[in-house]
Amino acid sequence: MINKNKIDIRFKIKKAIIICISTLLLISLITCLFFFISGHSKRKAAQNAIKIALNKTPITKIDEVYHLSRDITSDSVSGRDKHNHRYYFVYIPSKKKAYYYSAKEGMNKAKISSLFEYLHPNQNTYKINFGWYKDLPVWEISYKKNNGNYGYAIYSFKTGKEIFFVDNI
């Protein structure tokens, strides 16, 4: 005959396991929902910049989408027209203003990256963004140093001049 205490212990163990699994699933669901909601506004802003660029400029193909948030938030795209010429488009949601540049008017991503590597050797480039800073179209380079700290540099799109540099954050 099976002891009633053994049955009670098995039932309690099964109940505890079910509660633990349910709790973990609930925490996972809440975490996923939090990250989805927190990224929604950024995704929506990027989609808005893409829509405006495709509807209001000769850009027909989007190559990259950028988001820059320094003194002002901007959403930008790089793309090509039907003749395969490259253009950059910056949208500033807070001002509802947009700016459109031919790649020939300034520095491209590869040139800015090379310039950064020349001026700041031995830095590991983390990300390069196109956007708006101090009423200018700019490239921002975020990097990680060998000591684990981060930094960033902002360059004028039109001249390639380094406008701002922060190291060891």
Side-chain angles (χ1 to χ4, degrees):
M1 206 167 190
I2 301 176
N3 188 345
K4 186 171 172 31
N5 288 339
K6 284 185 178 181
I7 292 173
D8 286 345
I9 291 173
R10 287 182 184 161
F11 177 75
K12 287 179 182 178
I13 290 173
K14 285 181 182 178
K15 187 177 176 182
I17 290 171
I18 290 171
I19 290 172
C20 286
I21 291 172
S22 299
T23 303
L24 289 174
L25 287 173
L26 185 62
I27 290 170
S28 297
L29 178 66
I30 290 170
T31 302
C32 289
L33 191 59
F34 172 77
F35 282 109
F36 178 77
I37 290 170
S38 65
H40 178 71
S41 62
K42 188 175 174 181
R43 284 189 304 276
K44 187 171 178 149
Q47 290 170 348
N48 193 33
I50 290 169
K51 181 180 174 185
I52 295 169
L54 291 172
N55 289 327
K56 302 290 183 182
T57 71
I59 295 174
T60 57
K61 180 184 179 280
I62 303 297
D63 294 326
E64 291 188 68
V65 179
Y66 307 98
H67 176 82
L68 188 61
S69 192
R70 289 292 162 234
D71 66 329
I72 196 163
T73 298
S74 62
D75 296 291
S76 310
V77 299
S78 66
R80 298 177 185 275
D81 66 7
K82 63 183 178 182
H83 303 293
N84 208 30
H85 299 126
R86 180 178 297 277
Y87 293 92
Y88 297 98
F89 174 81
V90 182
Y91 179 64
I92 304 167
S94 64
K95 293 184 176 184
K96 295 195 184 310
K97 290 194 173 191
Y99 302 89
Y100 168 72
Y101 302 95
S102 167
K104 295 175 185 174
E105 294 179 55
M107 308 284 280
N108 65 31
K109 187 176 181 178
K111 286 181 185 175
I112 286 296
S113 181
S114 294
L115 178 62
F116 175 76
E117 289 172 9
Y118 173 75
L119 294 174
H120 307 283
N122 302 320
Q123 307 300 347
N124 300 313
T125 300
Y126 175 69
K127 191 171 185 181
I128 301 176
N129 278 314
F130 183 74
W132 199 256
Y133 179 73
K134 303 274 184 193
D135 295 325
L136 295 170
V138 296
W139 287 104
E140 178 198 60
I141 296 181
S142 304
Y143 62 92
K144 187 173 183 180
K145 297 175 64 82
N146 291 333
N147 65 7
N149 292 340
Y150 290 89
Y152 64 92
I154 296 178
Y155 294 90
S156 167
F157 164 73
K158 291 189 175 187
T159 65
K161 179 183 176 190
E162 189 173 87
I163 298 171
F164 194 75
F165 181 76
V166 175
D167 198 22
N168 280 318
I169 2 184

